[in-house]
Structures are given as C-alpha cells and as structure tokens.
Amino acid sequence: MAEQALIIIDVQNDFCPGGALAVADGDAVVPVINRLQQQFALRVLTQDWHPADHSSFAANHSGAEPFSMTEMPYGPQVLWPSHCIQGSDGAAFHADLETDGAAVTIRKGFHRDIDSYSAFFENDHKTPTGLGGYLREQGVSSLVMAGLATDFCVRFSAVDAAKLGFDVTLVDDACRAIDMDGSLEDAMRDLEENGVKRVNSATLV
Ligand code: VGL
Ligand code: ZN
C-alpha cells in the first residue's frame, strides 16, 4: 500500500492563462507537477466541477460583481466569474498535465447551493467528498499537494487534510495563487498554524 500520495489540485484550463478565472502563471505548475508525479505510486486529481447555475458565480446573483463577497447559509463566500462548468473546455485538465496514471479524480463544487474549495469537505466544512476515507482505506498517512490556487483550493485542502491527521507538505513552486485582498497572506498563516510543511520541488525530485 502506498503510504504517500500526491494530490494534484484543480490544474484546469479555467485557472490557467486565458481561462475564466485565470491564475497568473497558473500553467507554470504543469511541468513541475509532471516531474513530481514520477515519485508517487498513488496520485489523486481534483477537478472543480460546477453546474452553470452554481451559487458561487456572480452571474447567478443579480447585480453582483465578480470577486465581491456574499453571505451564504454556511458563511461568507466570494462570488467568482463563471468557471469550470461541467463538461466545458475550461473545466478540462490542462492539455499537458499527465492524467493517465492517476488513481482517482475527485470532483467538487457540483452541488448548486454550496461551493467546495477543499478536496475533503465542502465549504460548510462538514459535508465530506469521500477523499479522506479513500486515502485512509489505501493506508495513506502522508500527502504532498500541488496545484491551483494556493490561496483557495490548495489552502483549504491542505488545512483540512492536516486537521484529519494526515502529514501534509505543500510544494511551493508547483502552486500559484489568485491573491485577492490578502488571501495569499491569510493562506500562508493558516497553513503554518495547521502544521502544513512547505518545500521546493527540487528537494523531492
Ligand atoms: C478555486 C475559486 C473558485 C480554486 C476554485 O481551485 O482554487 N478557486 N473555485
Ligand atoms: Zn470553483
């Protein structure tokens, strides 16, 4: 059984340059992640996967601007440009990302009324995606994470994994951030407070 797994977060066209919610330099993570994959017997992909009427889209709230905030029953929520719509090209993995060797793809954000940044729990921090149970059943105790975006889906995935008791390491140069309103700084503090380690890929490859 694999004791370590590589979790590859949301390396999708919409988070890369030219995409609907482009992360600066987002596609730069692809070659780094492809190199990293060779070190891991167990690889998991996550895929942001929203219905067109998803409640996290500004377009579905009359008069709301993208990147503004709203209050949802489960707490504050950023209203995003429409992105990663199920089946669209924007929701597809970056064409150069190696995906064939991954054991599973965890899709998230497919319930209309709730967003899911984390690969483990939806944004109510209660509804599980099933990934935690899957990894436990595989005998995995240690996770290495990479992908997009550092300050949203990578952050919440890493912190939830640490809270679940996994040993978590984030690969800095295999991640890129959205960085809105101090979100990257908040993320770095949250990662540190939760014992998430950070390394450069050169130390792993
Ligand atoms: C993400 C915002 C909205 C991410 C997903 O993958 O970090 N960010 N949906
Ligand atoms: Zn999303």
Side-chain angles (χ1 to χ4, degrees):
M1 290 213 279
E3 284 171 17
Q4 262 209 124
L6 177 66
I7 315 293
I8 303 165
I9 311 277
D10 298 1
V11 183
Q12 294 167 259
N13 291 326
D14 271 343
F15 298 122
C16 291
L21 179 41
V23 177
D25 219 18
D27 54 346
V29 305
V30 173
V32 186
I33 290 173
N34 285 345
R35 260 194 315 276
L36 269 178
Q37 293 203 57
Q38 298 164 18
Q39 317 286 312
F40 293 84
L42 183 61
R43 281 108 74 181
V44 171
L45 298 165
T46 75
Q47 193 171 28
D48 212 38
W49 195 250
H50 300 302
D53 63 352
H54 197 253
S55 58
S56 77
F57 295 170
N60 295 322
H61 298 256
S62 64
E65 290 293 328
F67 303 104
S68 64
M69 297 295 302
T70 193
E71 208 47 52
M72 295 289 196
Y74 53 82
Q77 169 71 47
V78 181
L79 292 176
W80 301 106
S82 300
H83 65 278
C84 296
I85 293 172
Q86 297 170 357
S88 68
D89 191 55
F93 293 115
H94 187 287
D96 296 333
L97 181 73
E98 297 257 359
T99 58
D100 290 346
V104 290
T105 298
I106 289 282
R107 287 177 168 164
K108 58 187 182 60
F110 51 79
H111 293 130
R112 187 195 64 185
D113 295 329
I114 183 166
D115 206 0
S116 187
Y117 295 149
S118 165
F120 294 89
F121 295 97
E122 302 198 39
N123 282 9
D124 59 2
H125 304 294
K126 284 201 273 280
T127 310
T129 63
L131 180 58
Y134 171 80
L135 292 169
R136 281 214 185 96
E137 280 204 298
Q138 294 298 318
V140 173
S141 54
S142 160
L143 304 179
V144 174
M145 290 198 188
L148 306 171
T150 317
D151 41 348
F152 287 91
C153 291
V154 176
R155 168 196 179 174
F156 288 99
S157 298
V159 168
D160 279 349
K163 286 180 175 161
L164 286 172
F166 294 97
D167 176 84
V168 187
T169 303
L170 197 131
V171 187
D172 272 330
D173 55 319
C175 300
R176 290 294 185 280
I178 293 172
D179 199 10
M180 57 174 278
D181 301 331
S183 57
L184 183 56
E185 213 182 298
D186 290 349
M188 289 305 150
R189 190 184 326 107
D190 198 18
L191 292 167
E192 194 179 326
E193 283 173 4
N194 284 281
V196 175
K197 288 170 263 184
R198 293 171 51 204
V199 298
N200 194 275
S201 64
T203 68
L204 299 172
V205 178

